Amino acid sequence: MDQIRVDQQNLPKKERYGIGELLKTIDLKRPTYYDERKRIINKNDKYADVKVVIKEIAEKDKWRGSYTYGYRRIMPLLEKAGYHRLKLLYVA
């Protein structure tokens, strides 16, 4: 998306594609686009340490190569490890 806009920078404004047209073409909502741009620019992941702990918990209890622990099993183990639930509301 950004590359298309950079490529068209030298064109007159009337000949450029608008951001709305491009987003509609790829079926992406405007807020999603701007959230992703912000995420890419801000490379600091504030949940990186929690994700490592979740990965370790999930790796311990793999069964036949599949992860078997879901949210309800992982959350109590995270709380035992010292991660408070309110801090984790938006971990993906």
Side-chain angles (χ1 to χ4, degrees), residues 12-69:
K13 193 167 187 170
K14 289 184 178 181
E15 294 179 20
R16 297 183 207 165
Y17 290 114
I19 190 78
E21 294 174 80
L22 294 171
L23 292 173
K24 195 178 290 184
T25 302
I26 61 172
D27 194 32
L28 187 67
K29 302 291 183 197
R30 188 178 293 262
T32 305
Y33 168 70
Y34 285 110
D35 285 345
E36 286 299 310
R37 283 191 67 193
K38 187 171 33 170
R39 184 188 59 78
I40 290 169
I41 290 170
N42 183 11
K43 294 182 181 184
N44 297 330
D45 184 5
K46 65 181 181 179
Y47 296 113
D49 58 333
V50 178
K51 289 178 182 178
V52 169
V53 174
I54 291 172
K55 184 77 169 172
E56 289 171 0
I57 291 170
E59 287 289 335
K60 285 184 203 173
D61 294 298
K62 260 186 165 180
W63 189 67
R64 292 186 181 178
S66 297
Y67 296 110
T68 58
Y69 272 20

